[in-house]
Amino acid sequence: MQHPQRRLLICVDMERYSQRGNLQQYDAQLDFHRLLREAADEVGMDRAGWTTQQSGDGELAVLPTELPEARVIGRFLPELNRRLRRYNADRLPVARIRLRVAVHQGMVHLDGANGFPGQAVVTVSRLCDAAPVRRALAAFPEAAIALVVSPDIYRDVVTQYPEELRPGRFRRIEVVNAEKGFHEPGWLCVLGEDVTSWQDEPPSPETTLPHPGTTQPPLPTAPPGPQTSASDPETNQPDPAAAARPEPPSPTGGIRTGNIRVEGQNAVGPGAIAIGSVGRDVVLPPEAGR
């Protein structure tokens, strides 16, 4: 095992790669590598010196130690952004190449049996796959690159040697992956856009649907409300006893006895006789006057 080295790491992932057909994926891979190579050549970087781990929709790159970090972040990525925007301009959305890019630095083993062991590799991968980065790229349909950098890269490179970047266009985010036990801050920007005024709205928790074939408990039913008519529930006939019982006081302070409402303080207690003067205290229903 060789001793690990401190290197600059770049993780790149294509948006919506899996939604493309087979031939579209094939073409996207070719154009992805061509655009990376052309952008690197334009700013004087040799892609042949990068140590990479490829995936169908992106790559993880370990950069040479002699490559200036400011040139990678402040010149290469803006150049790549320009080329991607030109590439996407005359293509349908399904054929466009839009990238999430994460940059971090740390100790990494270059002689791993199945990739590059090291916590720095884990961190840059989690940053690239972060939900806020995905939402930010989706929020700007004309954008080509959503960039997220670790706090030390933002502090040491972006703010001190920004080159073509604008430090004021970055915003701090929290990258959380509860399943992986990952929670780290990052600094996010969308190249050519202003995310500082963007209102990030995480989706609400999804409602869990029952698995087909399972039995759901019955929904609770509300208790029956008070009867509005004085009737016997078994015979559905008028209940004389219920009609004789005074009802609770009305909102105006009166009381009902059967179909007569007495206002004021002229009726008291269950079974009491309502006393009042018709026209002043007693209110009769329309049919009672016939």
Side-chain angles (χ1 to χ4, degrees):
M1 180 180 67
Q2 299 177 3
H3 195 276
Q5 301 180 29
R6 184 172 295 277
R7 295 291 191 90
L8 187 68
L9 306 172
I10 298 182
C11 187
V12 183
D13 199 17
M14 270 190 268
E15 180 189 55
R16 291 187 293 211
Y17 175 82
S18 62
Q19 298 179 19
R20 306 169 192 258
N22 292 359
L23 295 179
Q24 290 174 325
Q25 291 182 4
Y26 188 92
D27 291 339
Q29 290 185 13
L30 288 176
D31 291 337
F32 169 72
H33 280 281
R34 176 178 59 81
L35 291 165
L36 286 174
R37 184 181 66 254
E38 292 175 352
D41 291 343
E42 181 66 25
V43 298
M45 298 191 315
D46 185 8
R47 276 268 295 169
W50 296 20
T51 303
T52 60
Q53 178 178 307
Q54 300 295 323
S55 61
D57 55 355
E59 73 172 29
L60 171 65
V62 182
L63 274 58
T65 55
E66 64 272 14
L67 200 58
E69 296 179 358
R71 186 187 304 175
V72 174
I73 301 171
R75 293 184 60 193
F76 165 68
L77 291 178
E79 178 62 27
L80 178 60
N81 178 64
R82 285 190 289 269
R83 291 177 179 272
L84 284 169
R85 282 182 179 256
R86 288 197 296 266
Y87 175 88
N88 292 335
D90 58 353
R91 284 174 169 79
L92 295 174
V94 70
R96 294 173 184 171
I97 295 178
R98 292 172 14 112
L99 305 177
R100 300 189 311 278
V101 180
V103 182
H104 181 44
Q105 61 83 29
M107 303 296 285
V108 56
H109 288 272
L110 300 178
D111 60 340
N114 191 35
F116 306 121
Q119 286 301 314
V121 174
V122 173
T123 296
V124 76
S125 300
R126 297 279 186 264
L127 291 175
C128 186
D129 194 46
V133 184
R134 292 176 178 271
R135 292 194 294 267
L137 185 58
F140 297 91
E142 301 305 317
I145 294 179
L147 169 65
V148 57
V149 302
S150 58
D152 53 349
I153 293 294
Y154 178 76
R155 180 190 64 240
D156 297 339
V157 182
V158 174
T159 63
Q160 301 301 316
Y161 310 97
E163 299 282 345
E164 297 182 42
L165 295 180
R166 298 174 62 178
R169 289 287 181 92
F170 284 73
R171 63 185 287 175
R172 181 186 168 99
I173 62 172
E174 294 296 324
V175 178
V176 180
N177 188 325
E179 293 183 359
K180 304 293 185 180
F182 184 86
H183 187 175
E184 296 288 343
W187 286 86
L188 168 69
C189 79
V190 176
L191 299 190
E193 308 290 346
D194 185 4
V195 298
T196 59
S197 59
W198 166 57
Q199 298 295 323
D200 186 15
E201 297 181 358
S204 59
E206 296 181 354
T207 303
T208 303
L209 298 177
H211 189 277
T214 59
T215 302
Q216 293 295 303
L219 295 176
T221 57
Q227 291 183 343
T228 57
S229 61
S231 61
D232 186 335
E234 294 185 0
T235 63
N236 200 29
Q237 297 297 319
D239 183 359
R245 288 195 297 268
E247 296 185 7
S250 69
T252 59
I255 192 170
R256 295 184 64 91
T257 59
N259 59 358
I260 301 175
R261 186 175 78 250
V262 179
E263 302 291 348
Q265 302 297 322
N266 296 305
V268 292
I273 299 175
I275 302 174
S277 301
V278 175
R280 184 194 68 187
D281 301 313
V282 179
V283 180
L284 298 176
E287 61 275 12
R290 291 197 297 267

